[in-house]
RNA sequence: GCGCCCAUAGCUCAGUUGGAUAGAGCGUUGGCCUCCGGAGCCAAAGGUCGCAGGUUCGAAUCCUGCUGGGCGUACCA
């Protein structure tokens, strides 16, 4: 149980009693221990409109506070007017008991209880293996889903795809060409065809399973290619611990008539007109600078239209939260989708769009240009082969989605031993090892320990770090930026490793050993929770 | 041209509703293993937070302009 709500209430009452302006009180961990454990800038904010000196105001607020000495050991005021709180050691001892009692439930939120959420991610069409770029999105999406689940949401992980477009046709033609080439006929790949080696593999499989006399337009080419590729995509995702609950095919919206219905609904609202043989969406009437084509002059809808229908479909399924994860190349399309839904009177507030920047692959100091069609990409599968799923997941998640990620393949492979993920996992393995070592010497873990024996600075620092976990997790839910969890865990591991070098756990001093065993057990719980959330293993041995 | 994103140590990046001395890893230099795993710890060096203004008691963070880069700006998806 964090102290923040308690302090916020006390501070709010004090400002009220002093007749100062009411503002939202913010409390943050102090960066420098000199300033206690928690600080607030309340007086700085409140003094100005009241025409008072911030420092004196801080002192006045402090004078009005009556705090439980079991929780707060000391209150100080520092220039220019910060109020600092030093937490009592008893508070941290209580925290330790809480973590051990709650176990993996520690820090879990309830704000999503009884609510459902949908996270759509990856959504690559089955035209080729997943690339490294898809990998970033896959990990990001899965981790965001984990964060939601942590806070109680019932999450559906969804994969949206289109297996009927031009690219799929091209794929089928490419497979057919390779099929005939394998049979010794000189059939060229279509222009702009798919050149990857996997196309040849699919062709060979078709020969093995369906024989050698398929005609050029046989639907088996497309069907077999899709099946093969989709199986590979799913297998790759599975290796990273990612399972989608639901696959939605764009085609279903054509078959159900939802596409036509959508156009009709927009037309009824007056947002549709026809020109140059195409059907246009009058986005200029809704504040945009350019109208958009929804149905081409060929009669085929553009990608925008099914996207709109798909989002209407998700809204109608009744999720409290709908998260779309897109690459930066989609940034311009979702506003049109949202505008269309609003035009039809939908409340779009459940929809939250997360845009991630691209991954630039660097090999031998040079950028690798990626194209699925030309097969010049590095596949996600290859990356996992090289680095292992834990490293891949952690690498993608430890950076903010807004950063243009430079992925140096040589470096990642060379430094795999020094990779931060091993640092984290090593902390966990170390804890398990110490506990095992203790058991061998007859130290049973017991809840009957004396926490007041934990007085060493690195012990207290570790406790303070553990105290931040629930806050970190709720911030992660607000901002949906998983890297703050990764950064927190690294910092926790650092505190643990420091503690380890300074404080021996298993010693002749039994009571102290018991207390330290309790401490590292708590660290283990939080590490486990955090790593699980990131989808990274917490190994007992390395 | 217009829109979105980015620019922080030699390199890769943290720094999230504006706070106190801007951090970490890698790399470089120098220390720490009779004892729970050295995949660890400690220390040093390394910064005009792209540039110039502005707002503020206080700016890497907010605003404006500029420079440089990524992605869009299709009757491709």
């Amino acid at each position: 149980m964090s102290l923040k709500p308690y302090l916020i209430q006390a501070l709010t009452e004090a400002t009220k009693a002093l007749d100062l302006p009411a503002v939202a009180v913010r409390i943050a961990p102090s960066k420098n221990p000199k300033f206690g454990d928690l600080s607030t800038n309340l007086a700085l904010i409140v003094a100005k409109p009241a025409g008072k000196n911030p420092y004196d105001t801080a002192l006045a607020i402090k004078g009005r506070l009556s705090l439980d000495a079991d929780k707060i050991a000391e209150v100080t005021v520092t220039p220019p007017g910060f109020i600092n709180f030093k937490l009592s050691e008893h508070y941290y001892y209580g925290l330790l008991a809480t973590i051990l009692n709650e176990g993996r439930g520690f820090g879990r939120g309830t704000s999503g209880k009884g609510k459902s959420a949908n996270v759509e991610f990856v959504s690559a069409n089955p035209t080729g293996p997943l690339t490294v770029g898809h990998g970033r999105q896959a990990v990001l999406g899965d981790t965001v889903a984990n964060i939601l689940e942590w806070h109680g949401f019932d999450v559906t992980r969804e994969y949206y795809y289109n297996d009927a477009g031009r690219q799929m046709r091209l794929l089928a033609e490419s497979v057919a060409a390779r099929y005939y080439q394998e049979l010794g006929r000189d059939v060229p790949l279509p222009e702009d065809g798919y050149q990857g080696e996997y196309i040849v593999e699919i062709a060979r499989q078709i020969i093995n399973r369906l024989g050698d006399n398929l005609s050029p337009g046989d639907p088996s080419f497309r069907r077999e290619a899709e099946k093969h590729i989709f199986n590979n995509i799913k297998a790759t995702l599975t290796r990273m611990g990612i399972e989608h609950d639901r696959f939605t095919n764009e085609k279903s919206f054509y078959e159900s008539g939802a596409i036509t219905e959508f156009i009709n609904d927009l037309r009824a609202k007056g947002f549709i007109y026809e020109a140059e043989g195409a059907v246009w969406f009058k986005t200029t009437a809704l504040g945009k600078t350019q109208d958009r084509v929804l149905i081409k002059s060929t009669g085929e809808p553009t990608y925008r239209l099914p996207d709109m229908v798909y989002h209407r479909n998700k809204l109608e399924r009744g999720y409290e939260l709908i998260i779309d994860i897109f690459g930066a190349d989609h940034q311009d399309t979702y506003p049109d989708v949202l505008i269309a839904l609003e035009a039809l009177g939908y409340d779009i507030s459940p929809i939250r769009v997360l845009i991630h920047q691209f991954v630039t692959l660097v090999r031998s100091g040079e950028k690798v240009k990626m194209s699925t069609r030309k097969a010049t990409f590095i596949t996600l599968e290859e990356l996992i082969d090289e680095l292992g799923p834990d490293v891949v997941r952690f690498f993608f998640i430890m950076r903010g989605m807004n950063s243009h990620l430079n992925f140096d393949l040589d470096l990642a492979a060379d430094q795999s031993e020094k990779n931060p993920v091993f640092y984290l996992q090593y902390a966990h393995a170390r804890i398990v090892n110490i506990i095992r070592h203790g058991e061998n010497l007859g130290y049973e873990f017991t809840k009957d320990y004396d926490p007041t024996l934990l007085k060493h600075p690195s012990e207290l620092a570790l406790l303070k770090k553990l105290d931040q976990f629930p806050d970190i997790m709720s911030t992660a839910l607000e901002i949906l930026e998983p890297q703050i969890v990764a950064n927190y865990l690294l910092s926790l591991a650092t505190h643990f490793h420091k503690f380890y070098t300074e404080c021996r756990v298993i010693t002749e001093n039994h009571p102290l050993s018991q207390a330290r065993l309790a401490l590292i057990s708590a660290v283990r719980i939080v590490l486990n929770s955090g790593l699980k959330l990131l989808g990274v293993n917490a190994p007992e041995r390395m």
Side-chain angles (χ1 to χ4, degrees), chain A residues 393-400 419-421 482-483 486-487 490:
Chain A
R393 280 197 73 124
F394 196 79
F395 199 98
F396 280 133
I397 219 60
M398 68 185 291
R399 256 86 242 225
N419 198 295
V421 70
Q483 86 275 9
N487 290 332
L490 285 174

Side-chain angles (χ1 to χ4, degrees), chain A residues 492-509:
Chain A
L492 176 63
T494 298
H495 280 82
F496 167 73
H497 285 308
K498 189 173 164 64
F499 156 80
Y500 173 88
T501 51
E502 292 178 0
C503 299
R504 201 183 156 77
V505 176
I506 306 299
T507 67
E508 299 295 309
N509 183 340

Side-chain angles (χ1 to χ4, degrees), chain A residues 133-149:
Chain A
H134 293 126
R136 182 177 206 183
Q137 178 164 150
V139 175
L140 181 60
D142 190 53
T143 310
V144 164
N146 286 344
I147 290 171
L148 296 180
E149 283 174 339

Side-chain angles (χ1 to χ4, degrees), chain A residues 216-336:
Chain A
D218 196 294
S220 302
F221 290 121
R222 200 200 59 86
R223 198 170 52 232
E224 289 297 310
E226 174 177 344
K227 196 163 65 182
H228 178 95
I229 292 169
F230 236 136
N231 282 341
N232 283 347
I233 287 175
K234 287 178 189 169
T236 303
L237 291 174
T238 300
R239 280 184 80 188
M240 291 204 301
I242 298 171
E243 300 283 347
H244 285 87
D245 305 304
R246 178 164 182 157
F247 289 81
T248 299
N249 189 338
E250 183 182 311
K251 199 160 49 176
S252 64
F253 299 123
Y254 292 96
E255 289 166 352
S256 71
I259 299 274
T260 319
E261 188 187 332
F262 196 89
I263 284 281
N264 289 341
D265 290 349
L266 274 182
R267 198 191 306 273
K269 298 262 183 186
F271 292 112
I272 294 292
Y273 66 93
E274 277 159 45
E276 302 162 45
V279 176
W280 295 73
F281 177 31
K282 206 188 288 177
T283 29
T284 48
L286 297 160
K288 302 288 280 189
T289 53
Q290 197 183 354
D291 286 344
R292 302 290 191 182
V293 169
L294 291 186
I295 301 179
K296 304 180 214 171
S297 49
T298 60
E300 273 182 300
T302 62
Y303 64 94
R304 261 173 246 271
L305 180 55
D307 269 9
M308 291 169 180
V309 174
Y310 174 48
H311 280 80
R312 163 145 91 174
N313 175 268
K314 284 198 281 192
L315 280 171
E316 287 180 342
R317 284 190 238 155
Y319 298 110
E320 270 88 359
L321 187 58
I322 294 170
I323 295 179
D324 288 336
I325 301 189
F326 294 145
D329 54 341
H330 281 62
Q331 71 197 5
D332 246 24
T333 83
Y334 78 87
D336 292 337

Side-chain angles (χ1 to χ4, degrees), chain A residues 121-122 130-144 236-237 240 242 325 355-362 370 378-385 387-409 412 419-421 480-487 490 533-536:
Chain A
F121 62 111
V122 184
L130 293 180
T131 64
V132 171
H134 293 126
R136 182 177 206 183
Q137 178 164 150
V139 175
L140 181 60
D142 190 53
T143 310
V144 164
T236 303
L237 291 174
M240 291 204 301
I242 298 171
I325 301 189
I355 304 275
H356 66 90
Q357 299 303 314
F358 281 168
V359 179
T360 305
L361 282 177
V362 179
M370 290 191 288
I378 307 291
T379 66
L380 183 54
E381 189 74 18
E382 287 162 350
L383 197 69
I384 299 171
D385 287 342
L387 304 171
D390 285 342
V391 172
V392 170
R393 280 197 73 124
F394 196 79
F395 199 98
F396 280 133
I397 219 60
M398 68 185 291
R399 256 86 242 225
M401 67 180 91
N402 272 329
S403 77
H404 300 260
L405 186 55
N406 257 332
F407 198 128
D408 188 323
L409 290 163
N419 198 295
V421 70
L480 296 177
E481 289 263 21
Q483 86 275 9
I484 75 160
V485 178
N487 290 332
L490 285 174
L533 188 109
L534 299 182
V536 174

